[in-house]
Amino acid sequence: HLTAAKHDANSKNKESDTGGLERIAKLVRDGQARKIVVMVGAGISVSSGIPDFRTPGTGLYDNLQKYDLPYPEAIFDLAYFQSKPEAFNLLAKELYPGNFEPTPTHYFLKLLHEKGVLRRCFTQNIDSLEALAGLPKDAIVAAHGNFDGASCIRCGTPTPAHAVRATLMAQGTPRCAKCDGL
């Protein structure tokens, strides 16, 4: 019975409390792990060049000076976004899919899906690298949203992701075609 496995990118010892990656691979290979749910965060995308949030010196929150924010978390604060969307838009442009490639972990998730054992991938990441690696969108639950879609925060009208991308890449602020909201 496998309840959890933890991969710590900063750990010298890749073993988890449940026996490590070798044990997990054996359980999958032997058909003992048939209903896998994965929960992932920033650590799986760091090796693609996307910073995590809190690592001193390299983390996102330590490197937000160019956005002129009142506090680091403002970059993701809805009220701040409504008053000054330019900061988030600049960050979104930098992190937008196509600027980074999936990591081996993302491809491992796809492999689990292809073997028919992955039930869901719950991700805190907004980078959409799970989908870019080939994991179907219906297998992904994006806890904080991602770049796969967008909708107006005023009226809820969906906007195609390609339209949002085009506007961001042109240094603009995406606006709702229906109500001109964000």
Side-chain angles (χ1 to χ4, degrees):
H1 176 64
L2 180 65
T3 56
K6 181 180 178 185
H7 171 73
D8 180 358
N10 296 321
S11 175
K12 291 181 184 175
N13 181 359
K14 301 295 183 199
E15 297 291 313
S16 73
D17 293 340
T18 58
L21 296 177
E22 289 179 14
R23 179 165 181 244
I24 294 167
K26 183 176 180 343
L27 289 170
V28 172
R29 185 176 49 251
D30 294 347
Q32 294 178 30
R34 297 182 304 272
K35 296 180 181 178
I36 298 173
V37 174
V38 179
M39 292 183 252
V40 298
I44 72 166
S45 296
V46 170
S47 65
S48 72
I50 298 173
D52 67 8
F53 287 85
R54 293 177 182 85
T55 299
T58 61
L60 182 65
Y61 288 153
D62 254 11
N63 292 285
L64 293 173
Q65 300 82 4
K66 64 183 171 189
Y67 302 106
D68 193 31
L69 300 169
Y71 53 96
E73 294 84 359
I75 195 83
F76 299 116
D77 184 281
L78 184 58
Y80 187 79
F81 174 73
Q82 289 172 312
S83 67
K84 191 175 177 184
E86 300 80 15
F88 179 80
N89 292 346
L90 180 59
L91 177 64
K93 180 181 176 184
E94 293 171 5
L95 295 179
Y96 217 91
N99 295 335
F100 301 95
E101 295 296 321
T103 67
T105 303
H106 294 102
Y107 289 112
F108 177 69
L109 299 175
K110 177 186 174 195
L111 178 65
L112 291 176
H113 172 74
E114 289 172 347
K115 290 188 168 289
V117 297
L118 182 68
R119 295 296 176 251
R120 284 289 176 277
C121 172
F122 292 87
T123 179
Q124 295 185 65
N125 299 337
I126 64 171
D127 56 37
S128 297
L129 291 179
E130 297 86 3
L132 189 60
L135 195 60
K137 292 180 182 177
D138 65 351
I140 303 166
V141 177
H144 302 299
N146 59 26
F147 292 105
D148 295 345
S151 59
C152 176
I153 60 176
R154 183 185 300 158
C155 74
T157 299
T159 302
H162 67 85
V164 172
R165 183 183 196 288
T167 303
L168 288 173
M169 295 305 155
Q171 308 293 343
T173 295
R175 292 278 179 186
C176 177
K178 183 176 179 181
C179 75
D180 198 44
L182 297 169

